Amino acid sequence: MASRARRAAIAVVGGVAVVGFLAATLAPVIGSQVAEASQDPAASRYATAADEAQLFAAANAGSLNALGTVSYEAELRTPTPTPAPAAIAAPGQQAEAPAEEGQPSGEVPAPYSAPAPFSGGGSPAEWMAAAGIAESDWGYVDYVVSRESGWNPNATNPSSGACGLVQAYPCSKVPGGGYDPVANLQWANGYAVGRYGSWAGAYAFWVSNNWW
C-alpha cells in the first residue's frame, strides 16, 4: 500500500516536470508570434519605405539639387525654301506679286490676245498660191480644208480654240494670225510636209482617220 502511494507521487512529480519543461521551451516562440500578429502590416511597410526614402535622399542630395539647374536648348531650323514675303503696298499703290521661278523679276508676260477676224477678200486658189503651195497639191489641200473649215478663214472650234482654214491648234502657233488665210495655209504647208512628208500623205491620213 505504501509503495503504491509512492509510485503515484513520483508520477505526479514527473508530469509536473514535463509540463514545466514544455512551457519553458514554447514560451519564447509563442511570444514572438503574438508580438508579430499584434503589429499592423501596413504601418510596418510605410515605416520601412519612409526609412529607405530618407536614406536615398541623404545619399543623393547632390544629384537631386543639380536637377534644379539643368537647362535645355532646342535648335529651330528655317524651312527650305523660304517663301518670298509678299510686298506691302503703300496707300494708293498696288502690291507687286513675287516673281515666279524662271521668270525675270519685274517682267510680266503679255496676255494672249486672239487674232483679229479676217475681213479681206480673195479666193482659195489665190490664197494657196500666195501661201507657196504647189498647184499639184491644191486638190489635197482643198479636200482637207473643205472638211476642216469649209474654207471659212474665221472658223473656230468652240471647244479647243483651233482656228482658221486648217483649224490650227493652238491658234497662237500661226505666225501672222491664225485667221489670216494666207498665214494659215503657210503654217499648214509646213505642218503637212513636216509631219506626213507631203500633202498627199496628209490627205491619206485624213481619209483614214477623219482628222490630221
Side-chain angles (χ1 to χ4, degrees):
M1 184 72 174
S3 61
R4 189 182 301 165
R6 191 181 304 114
R7 286 195 298 268
I10 294 172
V12 171
V13 171
V16 171
V18 170
V19 171
F21 175 77
L22 291 176
T25 303
L26 297 176
V29 176
I30 296 174
S32 62
Q33 291 179 351
V34 172
E36 290 179 2
S38 64
Q39 292 182 356
D40 186 357
S44 298
R45 287 194 295 269
Y46 175 80
T48 302
D51 293 341
E52 291 178 354
Q54 290 179 356
L55 292 175
F56 176 81
N60 298 276
S63 300
L64 294 175
N65 292 333
L67 291 176
T69 60
V70 174
S71 62
Y72 299 90
E73 295 183 0
E75 181 181 359
L76 300 179
R77 297 184 179 181
T78 304
T80 305
T82 304
I88 301 177
Q93 296 182 352
Q94 184 177 359
E96 181 178 348
E100 296 182 359
E101 185 178 355
Q103 175 182 333
S105 177
E107 295 184 8
V108 179
Y112 170 74
S113 57
F118 179 72
S119 58
S123 65
E126 292 173 339
W127 295 336
M128 286 187 287
I133 298 175
E135 190 171 350
S136 59
D137 290 330
W138 286 6
Y140 303 128
V141 178
D142 179 66
Y143 182 92
V144 172
V145 173
S146 296
R147 285 153 181 79
E148 289 288 342
S149 65
W151 284 101
N152 176 11
N154 296 317
T156 304
N157 186 313
S159 299
S160 66
C163 69
L165 295 178
V166 298
Q167 293 293 279
Y169 177 78
C171 193
S172 58
K173 277 187 175 182
V174 181
Y179 292 124
D180 182 284
V182 175
N184 196 280
L185 288 172
Q186 286 175 334
W187 177 87
N189 192 48
Y191 176 79
V193 175
R195 178 161 184 172
Y196 302 106
S198 64
W199 272 105
Y203 160 79
F205 185 89
W206 209 109
V207 170
S208 299
N209 301 275
N210 294 323
W211 64 275
W212 75 315

